[in-house]
Amino acid sequence: MTDTQASRMHAPLFSRRGFLALTSGAAVVAAGGEARAEPAPGEDGLYHEPWFLQSFLDLREDLESAAASGKRLVIMWELRGCPYCRETHLVNFADEAIASYIRDNFEVLQLNLIGSRKVTDFDKQELSEKDLAQKYGIRFTPTFQFFPPQAAGIEAKEPMAREVTRAPGYLKPQHFLAMFRFVRERAYERGSFREFLATSG
């Protein structure tokens, strides 16, 4: 894979909360009088947020755990060298209002577009991250997959029908936060993201 191809894809990893210690390398620095988190890339070349979900990589279990906490499950697909993944971490997640909203309402599972870790899908199929990405048609990074509030019946659906929506590619901070609000407020049940933006200001 060329550097150009790598920069157009992108990937991350993660494991279940409370079990594996996550080494994010995040440092807190003062910028303009405000403290902000600046994560450093890990050994895998991906930027990690200390509040991302630590997981055994069983998607049904992760969704059920998120639901029990009153949160929604979202997968963030990344890839080493992806400039827009870096931008998502260093700009979007560095905005405390955005990070706070996501932390309070979502469990974010970070996966690597070309990763080799084994993930158990909702239908119990065990695949590498790379093969799971192909199964769901993930081609760009970052891509965010948002899943329903409950796991009931999800395994019977076709892979892409298991999502309530997805965000492929980079979104500017305002639209990025709006996408998470769109899911949290279940606005996808009433219309498109474009319509939500037009009506929510």
Side-chain angles (χ1 to χ4, degrees):
M1 176 178 299
T2 67
D3 289 342
T4 300
Q5 289 173 319
S7 69
R8 291 180 57 191
M9 291 157 53
H10 206 133
L13 307 91
F14 268 27
S15 309
R16 164 109 43 191
R17 172 183 3 193
F19 178 71
L20 297 176
L22 180 64
T23 54
S24 67
V28 177
V29 296
E34 295 181 6
R36 76 177 258 224
E38 289 197 0
E43 291 182 3
D44 55 7
L46 307 180
Y47 289 82
H48 301 289
E49 300 296 332
W51 46 271
F52 275 0
L53 178 63
Q54 297 184 41
S55 166
F56 289 123
L57 302 180
D58 182 318
L59 298 187
R60 185 182 189 94
E61 194 174 292
D62 288 340
L63 195 156
E64 289 174 344
S65 176
S69 300
K71 297 183 179 183
R72 301 291 293 269
L73 176 66
V74 55
I75 295 177
M76 180 181 185
W77 291 93
E78 299 188 55
L79 183 68
R80 176 193 293 267
C82 162
Y84 291 113
C85 299
R86 180 178 184 276
E87 189 87 351
T88 299
H89 285 277
L90 299 188
V91 176
N92 296 16
F93 289 143
D95 183 319
E96 185 51 33
I98 293 175
S100 215
Y101 183 86
I102 296 172
R103 282 197 310 268
D104 290 346
N105 295 287
F106 291 85
E107 293 288 11
V108 181
L109 176 65
Q110 188 182 37
L111 294 180
N112 186 332
L113 189 65
I114 58 170
S116 59
R117 291 183 308 157
K118 295 297 183 183
V119 182
T120 302
D121 198 359
F122 297 106
D123 55 14
K124 300 189 183 321
Q125 185 179 23
E126 188 177 74
L127 298 166
S128 68
E129 292 165 283
K130 179 180 179 180
D131 289 341
L132 185 71
Q134 291 175 349
K135 177 177 178 177
Y136 280 89
I138 308 294
R139 296 184 178 85
F140 308 102
T141 57
T143 289
F144 290 83
Q145 285 181 286
F146 296 89
F147 294 96
Q150 303 294 332
I154 195 170
E155 70 283 348
K157 297 180 179 180
E158 290 298 313
M160 291 177 69
R162 295 170 187 167
E163 307 167 13
V164 296
T165 192
R166 77 168 51 179
Y170 179 71
L171 291 172
K172 297 274 187 191
Q174 180 181 356
H175 290 165
F176 185 71
L177 177 57
M179 173 57 77
F180 282 85
R181 287 183 46 235
F182 175 71
V183 174
R184 181 63 186 175
E185 297 170 21
R186 299 175 72 153
Y188 53 82
E189 296 176 351
R190 303 185 295 274
S192 69
F193 181 53
R194 184 182 297 273
E195 291 168 334
F196 178 74
L197 286 177
T199 58
S200 66

